[in-house]
Amino acid sequence: AAPVCHDYLPGTNTCPPGTHSCDITHCKVSEWSEWSKCSASCDGGMRVRSRMVETKPANGGDECPELIEEESCNKQACKPVCTACAGKS
């Protein structure tokens, strides 16, 4: 029988007798989702996008990158509303 994949003995880089180290598995993530709708139409809002973990890291593999990304949007100033002009022509 082939040696069994096993984690290192605690505090060492040695596998238990009759075993071999497990393969390193790096984190794998999905593609980014579409950006969400901006939270404001003017004066600055935020939008977000996300991605999912497809493969979790194991045995010393690379950790996962950020799963949520945010950015500002619609930074232009809102047009002032003239409340003093209401009802006048």
Side-chain angles (χ1 to χ4, degrees):
V4 176
C5 167
H6 200 282
D7 288 335
Y8 294 131
L9 293 170
T12 73
N13 288 337
T14 306
C15 294
T19 67
H20 66 89
S21 63
C22 300
D23 292 332
I24 294 173
T25 303
H26 299 296
C27 178
K28 183 178 178 189
V29 295
S30 66
E31 294 294 318
W32 287 107
S33 67
E34 294 295 317
W35 284 104
S36 68
K37 186 176 178 180
C38 191
S39 63
S41 58
C42 55
D43 279 345
M46 295 296 292
R47 64 182 191 163
V48 298
R49 65 181 182 170
S50 61
R51 56 188 173 182
M52 305 288 291
V53 173
E54 293 179 344
T55 305
K56 291 182 179 181
N59 308 313
D62 293 340
E63 292 297 316
C64 295
E66 290 296 321
L67 300 176
I68 296 175
E69 191 171 69
E70 297 180 355
E71 71 175 16
S72 57
C73 52
N74 294 337
K75 299 177 193 175
Q76 75 280 5
C78 293
K79 293 180 182 173
V81 176
C82 180
T83 55
C85 303
K88 298 181 181 177
S89 53

